[in-house]
């Protein structure tokens, strides 16, 4: 059994100590392998005499343990069933009783458990929750609703399916009526505690959770229980959308109060109901539109109202998008009111915006950028106006144009008014969404975005004297937004001023300039050709990179150095566009990248920054190694090996990919001395235990095998490597990695080294084939077959494969070949795989004794399969599009949890027969040579074919 509570609690406390945390985390890893470890963590969370930080640390540790150790990828429990049952019995009550900070962690753990168990293996949960509901105990109710929300919220992004609706109906049958009763009871408690501030606040917390769960339960379809009570529910929602009570008013201008939170929750639910259920809800909508309008007209500029304003505007945007309700806006006076009362106040700069610009510039940028996750007033108002413009383009453009003209005139003496004019113009000029890759793709034909820039915006980009920093940012953001609308010539005029703005002393100005330059360098035409390429930036690329690095390195603390991911993304993009042009200054780039690595590894805190950072390193490895990889290996080995030894888990998958790429760039020759030290740890389970490491570890090991083949055989490491292959093959998520490693072994080692294990390898592969394998598994198996079959010169071939299979079970090869190999070969998609299949089939036809004598029908089937592939001749091309690197979506990158592939280090597709360029010519020559070798035997086998196949084969053996 695991150690006692006090010892685990001490280790949890030590994880919070920067000096002791590594040792404590390693000790906890040992503890988690002991029985009932998860139950000890729950006891720590439940022990009120322990310090809150210890209990919170225990809850966090429990959540992470559940995430990694509750079930395997097939849904089988990894911990004993009695432990599972106790967790389910204790967890709900514990969460309900816990402080809110702990509730968050336990709620996430419940959600993880629900992902695998709810509802079939946890069919008592909903009844358990309902049994705990109370008419007046807000603490218990809030806990129950937190649990319910953590489970039901999972439905929101899911596509409809029978299983999903079965689960939702299971919940509704038990939960819906008690839930509606709780809504009514909570309304009554709010009424009766109208003057009791503490109780009222807690009942409003309950109401907020009720509305969130209301959204969860409705997100796929309107529950019939809600449909029959829709008028009453609408009445209550409207009551609280317009509710005011000075008892709950807050003095804080920046922190939203609970009333604002509830109103925002209601607006979000209203948006859902207008969008999905307008046929039923439409008759109640107008009263909400009027109230939302009044709310937006009266609300102040304080930041505490920002979320409410955003949600109310999103509700009105849904109304404007509805064919039923939008007609009310098709009126010049109404639209003038919309622009004046709702849009203008919310796109105009506020003092709080200027303070954010000055005091927290990186936060300002993240909120301001199109496509950011943050709901802002300006974005919500812009979306509302764009929705209206989509319906009534001419009228909205005309009405907005009057205000734009007015504010431009005012802007001659007041830069804030000019900012308002530009924001309003951006709202009506852009059609559709602003994409991350291309900016605005379609513009309003009634406006001229280039002329507007030249007349009103360009001067702010070009001038330094008397231009406010925010006006500079407006000019840069204008280019960023409409980057797809400018010609190459127009961009050439704007590019140098952009570069010059990177020299600004203002954080937001130089960062926005870097953002715009990076997106411009990413921009491509419809054919995939870059608008700005290497030749456009080569004259100043070195100086530009040096300047960007110095901006990153202005602060030397780990957190500050990695704060600005936009600068590092620009560095990455310049390196990618420069390609091999970085060769002349690769040492300078490496000095900076290695220095940054050494600082940020002590506290990785910004996943986007260090993702771009390692993409930049990957670009240097890929493009800066024209004179060989030895210099890069020497420069990167020491800092990157330290990352592995110091267990900087967030960086390890990136480091392993870069090491693998270095080896793949030079696949021949002995393994460099540095990398020899990596082999022993790769054989140990420690690194493999972190799931995020596995793809990169596999790739690195597969890259090491050909460089260290003689050492691997001499030191008896074939069996341990095959043990890793076996472990990878067990998991659905790692079975492709298993084939990568297996193919490396087959290609790199002599047959004598792996032949003793080959039968067992096949046995493992066949077991998976019998258990409803995925299409991708079958295709990788067939590719593996073709690889062995095609390597006749290495002592392998179809006969070797067939002999090994027959040792497992007599006549099994015929079944595998007819049911798996032949039909799946037709489904291969990649040209290199189709080419490999043709080579394999041709060599089987030309040199297999088994197919000549024992499997005579098989020879004919093989010929027909080859001819089918040759109908669409597989053409292998290399390098096309290899210089186009799209950054990964890093929004969901966690800390040490997942794997993100580096695009600059992506593995090149392996062509096992690069010497074969024209596959048709090769097949003809190979079969003619084989026929000569075998004294005309191959030609005699043509009698086995159908007339159609014989005619097709005449081109190859005629």
């Amino acid at each position: 059994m695991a150690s006692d509570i006090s010892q685990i609690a001490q280790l949890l406390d030590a994880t919070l100590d920067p000096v002791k945390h590594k040792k404590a985390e390693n000790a906890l890893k040992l503890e988690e392998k002991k029985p009932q470890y998860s139950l000890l963590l729950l006891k720590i969370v439940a022990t009120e005499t322990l310090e809150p930080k210890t209990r919170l640390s225990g809850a966090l540790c429990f959540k992470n343990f559940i995430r990694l150790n509750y079930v395997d990828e097939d849904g089988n429990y990894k911990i004993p069933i009695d432990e599972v049952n106790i967790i389910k019995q204790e967890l709900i009550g514990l969460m309900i009783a816990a402080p809110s900070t702990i509730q968050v962690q336990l709620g996430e753990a419940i959600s993880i458990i629900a992902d695998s168990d709810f509802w079939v293996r946890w069919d008592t949960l909903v009844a358990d929750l309902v049994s705990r509901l109370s008419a007046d105990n807000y603490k218990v109710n809030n806990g129950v609703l937190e649990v319910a929300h953590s489970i039901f919220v999972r439905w929101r992004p899911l596509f409809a399916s029978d299983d999903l609706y079965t689960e939702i109906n299971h919940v509704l049958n038990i939960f819906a009526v008690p839930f509606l009763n709780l809504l009514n009871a909570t309304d009554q408690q709010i009424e009766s505690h109208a003057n009791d501030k503490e109780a009222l606040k807690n009942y409003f917390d309950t109401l907020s959770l009720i509305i969130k769960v209301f959204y969860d339960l409705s997100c796929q379809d309107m529950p019939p229980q809600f449909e029959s009570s829709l008028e009453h529910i609408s009445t209550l929602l409207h009551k609280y959308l317009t509710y005011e009570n000075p008892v709950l008013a807050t003095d804080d201008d920046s922190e939203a109060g609970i009333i604002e939170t509830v109103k925002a929750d209601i607006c979000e639910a209203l948006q859902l109901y207008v969008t999905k259920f307008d046929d039923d809800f439409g008759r109640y909508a107008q009263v909400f539109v009027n109230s939302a309008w009044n709310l937006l007209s009266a609300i102040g500029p304080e930041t505490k109202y920002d979320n409410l304003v955003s949600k109310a505007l999103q509700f009105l945007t849904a109304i404007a998008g509805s064919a039923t309700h939008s007609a009310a806006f098709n009126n010049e006076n109404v639209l003038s009111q919309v622009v004046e009362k709702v849009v203008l106040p919310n796109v105009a700069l506020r003092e709080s915006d200027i303070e954010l610009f000055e005091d927290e510039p990186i936060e300002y940028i993240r909120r301001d950028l199109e496509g950011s996750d943050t709901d802002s007033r300006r974005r919500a108002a812009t979306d509302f106006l764009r929705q209206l413009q989509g319906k009534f383009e001419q009228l909205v453009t005309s009405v907005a144009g009057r205000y734009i003209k007015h504010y431009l005139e005012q802007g001659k003496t007041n830069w804030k008014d000019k900012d308002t004019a530009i924001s309003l113009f951006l709202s009506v000029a852009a059609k559709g969404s602003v994409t991350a890759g291309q900016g605005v793709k379609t513009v309003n034909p009634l406006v001229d975005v280039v002329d507007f820039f030249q007349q009103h915006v360009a001067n702010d980009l070009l001038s330094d004297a008397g231009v406010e920093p925010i006006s500079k940012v407006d000019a840069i953001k204008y280019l960023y937004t409409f980057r797809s609308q400018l010609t190459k010539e127009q961009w050439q005029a704007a590019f140098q001023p952009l570069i010059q703005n990177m020299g600004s002393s203002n954080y937001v100005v130089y960062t926005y300039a870097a953002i715009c330059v990076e997106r411009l360098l990413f921009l491509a035409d419809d054919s995939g050709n870059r608008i700005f390429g290497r030749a456009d930036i080569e004259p100043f690329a070195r100086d530009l990179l040096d300047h960007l690095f110095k901006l990153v390195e202005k602060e030397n603390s780990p957190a500050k150095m990695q704060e600005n991911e936009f600068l590092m993304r620009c560095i990455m993009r310049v390196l990618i566009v420069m390609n091999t042009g970085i060769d002349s200054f690769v040492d300078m780039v490496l000095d900076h990248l290695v220095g940054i690595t050494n600082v940020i590894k002590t506290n990785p805190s910004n996943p986007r920054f260090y993702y771009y950072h390692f993409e930049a390193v990957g670009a240097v490895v890929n493009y800066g190694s024209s004179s060989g990889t030895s210099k890069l290996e020497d420069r990167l080995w020491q800092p990157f090996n330290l990352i592995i030894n110091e267990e900087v888990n967030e960086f390890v998958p990136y480091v392993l990919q870069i090491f693998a790429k270095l080896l793949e760039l030079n696949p021949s020759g002995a393994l460099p001395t540095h990398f020899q030290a990596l082999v022993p740890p790769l054989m140990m389970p420690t690194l493999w235990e972190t799931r995020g490491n596995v793809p990169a570890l596999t790739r690195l090991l597969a890259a090491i095998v050909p460089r260290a083949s003689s050492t691997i055989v001499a030191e008896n490491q074939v069996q341990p490597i095959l043990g890793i292959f076996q472990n990878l093959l067990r998991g659905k998520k790692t079975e492709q990695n298993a084939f990568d490693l297996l193919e490396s072994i087959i290609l790199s080692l002599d047959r004598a080294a792996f032949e003793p294990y080959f039968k067992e390898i096949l046995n493992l592969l066949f077991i998976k084939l019998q258990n409803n394998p995925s299409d991708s598994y079958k295709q990788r198996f067939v590719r593996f077959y073709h690889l062995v079959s095609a390597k006749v010169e290495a002592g392998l071939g179809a006969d070797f494969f067939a002999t090994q299979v027959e040792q497992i079970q007599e006549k099994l090869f015929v079944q595998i070949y007819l049911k798996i190999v032949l039909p799946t070969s037709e489904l291969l998609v990649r040209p290199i795989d189709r080419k490999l299949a043709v080579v394999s089939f041709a060599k089987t036809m030309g040199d297999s004794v088994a197919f000549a004598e024992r499997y005579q029908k098989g020879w004919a089937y093989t010929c027909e399969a080859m001819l089918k592939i040759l109908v669409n001749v597989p053409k292998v091309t290399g390098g096309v599009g290899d210089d186009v690197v799209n950054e990964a979506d890093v929004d969901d990158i966690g800390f040490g949890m997942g794997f993100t592939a580096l695009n600059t280090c992506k593995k090149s597709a392996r062509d096992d027969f690069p010497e074969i360029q024209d596959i048709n010519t090769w097949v003809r020559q190979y079969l003619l040579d084989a026929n000569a070798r075998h004294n005309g035997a191959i030609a005699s086998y043509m009698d086995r074919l159908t007339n159609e196949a014989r005619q097709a084969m005449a081109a190859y053996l005629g």
Side-chain angles (χ1 to χ4, degrees):
M1 184 174 173
S3 306
D4 60 26
I5 285 182
S6 60
Q7 185 178 343
I8 301 292
Q10 286 173 3
L11 290 173
L12 290 169
D13 285 341
T15 62
L16 306 175
D17 185 328
V19 177
K20 300 176 183 176
H21 77 100
K22 271 292 183 221
K23 189 175 178 182
E25 285 167 4
N26 289 332
L28 284 171
K29 281 182 182 176
L30 294 175
E31 290 295 331
E32 71 180 30
K33 291 180 170 58
K34 298 177 182 178
Q36 301 194 346
Y37 171 72
S38 62
L39 302 182
L40 272 181
L41 290 175
L42 287 182
K43 285 181 181 176
I44 288 169
V45 175
T47 303
E48 295 183 1
T49 54
L50 289 171
E51 286 192 50
K53 66 174 185 178
T54 308
R55 296 175 66 196
L56 178 58
S57 182
L60 182 61
C61 196
F62 175 79
K63 176 190 76 176
N64 290 334
F65 175 83
I66 291 297
R67 176 180 281 122
L68 296 172
N69 299 287
Y70 189 68
V71 290
D72 62 22
E73 59 188 48
D74 295 320
N76 303 311
Y77 293 124
K78 293 169 68 175
I79 57 177
I81 188 64
D82 57 336
E83 198 168 331
V84 169
N85 291 334
I86 294 171
I87 288 171
K88 289 178 183 176
Q89 289 165 17
E90 301 296 327
L91 194 51
I92 306 302
L94 179 54
M95 179 175 165
I96 288 169
S100 59
T101 52
I102 291 174
Q103 277 188 340
V104 171
Q105 302 302 327
L106 295 182
E108 289 181 23
I110 290 169
S111 185
I112 294 164
I113 293 170
D115 271 335
S116 68
D117 285 12
F118 188 74
W119 66 283
V120 175
R121 295 197 297 194
W122 201 1
D123 57 357
T124 59
L125 173 61
V126 182
D128 182 12
L129 291 174
V130 167
S131 70
R132 296 172 187 267
L133 289 173
S134 160
D136 56 4
N137 189 329
Y138 50 74
K139 179 169 176 53
V140 171
N141 290 339
N142 291 353
V144 169
L145 291 168
E146 286 280 11
V147 174
H149 179 49
S150 72
I151 295 168
F152 306 157
V153 75
R154 298 173 306 121
W155 301 334
R156 294 193 185 192
L158 300 181
F159 291 108
S161 69
D162 290 344
D163 286 346
L164 177 60
Y165 279 112
T166 301
E167 180 178 321
I168 293 173
N169 286 331
H170 163 79
V171 170
L172 292 174
N173 289 337
I174 303 169
F175 191 79
V177 172
F179 172 76
L180 289 173
N181 292 339
L182 179 63
L183 172 62
N184 294 326
T186 303
D187 172 51
Q188 292 166 13
Q189 294 296 332
I190 288 171
E191 288 288 339
S192 58
H193 291 86
N195 298 312
D196 182 342
K197 183 173 184 177
E198 183 180 353
L200 191 61
K201 162 70 170 62
N202 284 305
Y203 284 120
F204 258 87
D205 284 336
T206 307
L207 183 59
S208 176
L209 284 165
I210 286 172
I211 295 163
K212 287 182 174 69
V213 174
F214 174 77
Y215 189 114
D216 297 336
L217 295 172
S218 307
C219 66
Q220 293 289 332
D221 200 358
M222 192 193 305
Q225 298 89 339
F226 293 1
E227 190 174 353
S228 59
S229 304
L230 194 55
E231 184 174 359
H232 176 62
I233 293 171
S234 298
T235 302
L236 283 180
L237 290 177
H238 186 257
K239 172 182 177 179
Y240 288 105
L241 182 62
T242 56
Y243 184 91
E244 295 294 338
N245 189 334
V247 172
L248 290 180
T250 59
D251 297 328
D252 190 338
D253 285 347
S254 59
E255 194 72 31
I258 186 61
I259 287 183
E260 288 79 49
T261 300
V262 165
K263 289 181 178 182
D265 293 334
I266 290 170
C267 287
E268 194 169 8
L270 293 174
Q271 181 187 357
L272 173 73
Y273 268 64
V274 166
T275 305
K276 292 195 72 158
F277 315 123
D278 199 42
D279 287 348
D280 295 304
F281 182 70
R283 61 182 180 275
Y284 307 113
Q286 190 56 48
V287 67
F288 288 105
V289 173
N290 296 339
S291 297
W293 177 267
N294 293 335
L295 184 153
L296 287 166
S297 301
I299 211 159
E302 294 84 4
T303 55
K304 69 178 179 180
Y305 299 122
D306 284 2
N307 188 47
L308 172 55
V309 169
S310 294
K311 297 300 182 187
L313 282 167
Q314 287 164 12
F315 163 58
L316 289 182
T317 302
I319 289 288
S322 159
T324 310
H325 306 293
S326 61
F329 294 102
N330 190 14
N331 176 286
E332 187 172 351
N333 290 330
V334 171
L335 283 172
S336 295
Q337 291 290 305
V338 166
V339 174
E340 193 168 320
K341 297 280 184 66
V342 174
V343 176
L344 282 170
N346 290 304
V347 298
L349 275 173
R350 300 169 296 170
E351 282 306 312
S352 59
D353 297 323
I354 297 170
E355 287 172 13
L356 191 68
F357 184 97
E358 294 170 349
D359 299 338
E360 296 183 65
I362 193 66
E363 186 61 26
Y364 176 90
I365 294 163
R366 287 176 183 149
R367 290 187 187 183
D368 188 55
L369 270 178
E370 284 282 359
S372 84
D373 292 334
T374 311
D375 287 329
S376 68
R377 290 187 184 218
R378 181 172 279 193
R379 183 164 301 110
T382 296
D383 290 345
F384 179 38
L385 194 58
R386 279 185 190 155
Q387 181 71 270
L388 289 169
Q389 183 209 328
K391 293 280 185 182
F392 320 111
E393 185 170 77
Q394 189 147 3
L395 188 56
V396 170
T397 304
S398 170
V399 169
R402 293 202 303 269
Y403 288 95
I404 291 167
K405 186 176 179 181
H406 168 76
Y407 278 93
L408 281 173
E409 190 62 35
Q410 297 284 103
K412 292 175 180 176
T413 54
N414 183 339
W415 65 270
K416 293 181 184 176
D417 285 341
K418 185 175 178 181
D419 173 87
T420 300
I422 293 171
S423 294
L424 196 56
F425 182 82
L426 288 170
S427 299
V428 296
K431 293 184 75 171
S433 59
V434 181
T435 65
Q438 305 288 323
V440 171
K441 290 288 288 179
T442 310
V443 295
N444 182 343
L446 303 176
V447 299
D448 187 333
V449 297
V450 175
D451 181 67
F452 187 89
F453 177 76
Q454 291 169 339
Q455 295 295 323
H456 306 295
V457 184
N459 191 57
D460 291 337
L461 180 73
L462 299 170
S463 303
D464 288 324
V467 179
E468 285 288 329
I470 290 183
S471 297
K472 277 242 180 264
V473 170
D474 283 343
I476 297 167
K477 188 181 177 186
Y478 191 100
L479 287 174
Y480 164 84
T481 303
F482 294 114
R483 56 189 178 274
S484 291
Q485 305 305 314
L486 273 64
T487 64
K488 175 74 179 275
E489 291 70 29
Q490 289 166 334
W491 263 121
Q492 283 173 327
F495 195 65
Q496 278 302 326
L498 265 182
I499 297 292
Q500 288 162 10
N501 275 292
M502 280 198 206
S504 169
S505 60
N506 184 277
Y507 187 104
V508 182
V509 172
Y510 70 66
T511 300
Y512 247 112
I515 290 167
C516 194
V517 166
E518 188 276 328
R519 288 290 84 185
L520 173 58
L521 294 179
F522 176 80
L523 197 62
D525 62 22
D526 293 337
S527 302
N529 301 310
R530 283 203 178 93
I531 304 297
F532 264 62
R534 172 175 165 177
D536 296 296
I537 63 169
E538 194 153 19
F540 51 85
R542 180 192 178 112
D543 293 337
L544 174 58
L545 284 166
D546 192 48
H547 180 65
L548 284 165
F549 277 123
K550 285 173 180 171
L551 290 175
V552 170
E553 295 162 349
K554 277 171 74 172
E555 302 276 356
N556 57 15
S557 72
K560 291 299 288 184
M561 189 176 283
Q562 63 192 300
E563 172 186 79
N564 194 330
E565 68 266 19
F566 305 107
L567 296 177
M568 185 51 74
R569 185 165 71 168
C570 190
I571 289 168
M572 173 200 78
R573 190 68 60 196
V574 172
L575 290 170
I576 290 166
V577 172
M578 280 299 296
N579 204 283
T580 54
I582 68 174
D583 227 16
S584 61
F585 49 83
V586 72
D587 288 332
M588 177 272 287
V589 174
L590 275 173
D591 286 341
H592 285 295
L593 290 173
V594 169
I596 292 168
T597 302
N598 289 335
V599 173
I600 66 173
K601 73 174 183 179
T602 59
N603 181 25
S605 56
N606 185 349
R608 288 182 178 83
F609 180 94
Y610 56 74
Y611 164 73
Y612 295 131
H613 171 74
F614 283 108
E615 285 282 21
V617 177
V620 173
V621 167
N622 221 357
Y623 308 134
S625 56
S626 58
S627 58
T629 57
S630 57
K631 183 173 76 172
L632 290 169
E633 290 164 5
D634 290 341
R635 289 298 309 275
L636 295 175
W637 172 258
Q638 191 267 343
F640 281 12
N641 190 46
L642 273 177
I643 285 168
I644 294 172
N645 291 335
E646 293 172 5
E647 298 181 18
V648 186
N649 292 331
E650 296 87 350
F651 289 2
V652 169
Y654 297 128
V655 166
L656 296 172
Q657 289 178 75
I658 290 166
F659 278 164
K661 187 66 177 179
L662 281 167
L663 291 177
E664 290 162 359
L665 285 169
N666 181 22
S668 60
L671 187 68
T673 307
H674 295 319
F675 287 90
Q676 290 172 15
L678 273 179
V679 177
L682 286 179
M683 298 296 141
M684 302 297 290
T686 310
L687 281 171
W688 296 88
E689 286 173 355
T690 303
R691 267 187 280 178
N693 291 346
V694 171
L697 281 168
T698 308
R699 181 177 169 189
L700 178 57
L701 187 53
I704 286 173
V705 169
R707 301 283 295 270
S709 54
S710 56
T711 306
I712 287 168
V713 175
E715 297 184 3
N716 298 316
Q717 291 175 326
V718 176
Q719 194 167 0
I721 293 174
L722 288 172
I724 292 169
F725 155 76
Q726 183 175 356
N727 285 331
L728 293 171
L729 193 67
R730 287 195 185 107
K732 284 183 181 175
K733 292 180 180 176
T734 55
E735 62 191 20
Q736 298 292 317
N737 303 122
F739 279 108
D740 290 340
L741 185 56
L742 181 59
E743 288 181 7
S744 180
I745 293 167
I746 299 301
L747 287 170
S748 308
L749 304 186
D750 291 337
R751 168 177 152 176
F754 60 76
E755 186 171 5
Y757 313 103
F758 200 79
K759 189 173 83 169
E760 182 55 32
I761 290 169
L762 293 177
N763 213 18
L764 294 169
L765 295 175
F766 293 160
I767 289 169
K768 276 217 113 168
L769 276 177
Q770 292 172 341
N771 294 320
N772 193 25
S774 63
D775 289 342
S776 60
Y777 178 84
K778 285 193 285 190
Q779 289 184 20
R780 276 310 292 268
F781 170 79
V782 169
R783 180 192 153 76
F784 172 67
Y785 166 79
H786 286 309
L787 184 65
V788 175
S789 169
K791 291 294 181 179
V792 175
E793 297 79 7
L796 303 177
D799 288 358
F800 170 77
F801 199 99
T803 302
Q804 295 288 327
V805 174
E806 292 298 296
Q807 290 177 22
I808 297 172
Q809 182 183 318
E810 193 177 345
K811 297 183 180 178
L812 178 59
F813 178 73
V814 173
Q815 295 179 46
I816 296 291
Y817 196 74
L818 295 179
K819 293 181 179 178
I820 304 292
V821 174
L822 291 178
T824 307
S825 295
E826 289 182 51
L827 304 176
L828 296 173
V829 174
R830 297 192 310 168
I832 51 172
D833 294 340
R834 293 167 64 78
K835 174 181 168 182
L836 178 62
V838 170
V839 174
S840 159
F841 286 146
K843 289 189 176 182
T844 298
M845 292 167 62
D847 285 301
S848 168
V849 176
F851 278 78
E853 298 173 0
R854 290 175 59 197
Y855 309 130
Q856 293 186 16
K857 287 184 180 178
W859 193 96
Y861 296 147
T862 300
C863 180
E864 289 165 6
M866 182 185 75
L867 290 170
K868 282 180 183 175
I869 296 176
L870 288 172
V871 169
N872 294 308
V873 179
K875 294 179 181 177
V876 177
T877 56
V880 176
D882 285 351
D883 61 339
V884 178
V885 177
N886 303 325
E887 64 272 8
D889 178 0
V890 288
D891 287 341
D892 297 324
I893 290 183
F895 291 89
M897 293 300 297
F899 171 77
T900 302
L902 292 175
N903 285 290
T904 50
C905 284
K906 61 186 174 185
K907 189 174 181 178
S908 302
R910 188 188 74 242
D911 184 354
D912 294 299
F913 293 93
E915 69 278 9
I916 302 173
Q917 293 297 308
D918 184 330
I919 192 69
N920 272 318
T921 301
W922 179 87
V923 169
R924 175 179 170 79
Q925 192 60 52
Y926 187 87
L927 291 178
L928 286 171
D929 291 347
N931 193 47
R933 282 198 306 274
H934 299 294
N935 301 315
I938 309 304
S940 70
Y941 302 155
M942 299 274 278
D943 293 340
R944 303 172 183 178
L945 301 175
T946 62
N947 288 334
E948 185 182 355
R950 261 200 301 274
Q951 289 172 11
M953 277 300 294
Y956 301 99
L957 272 174

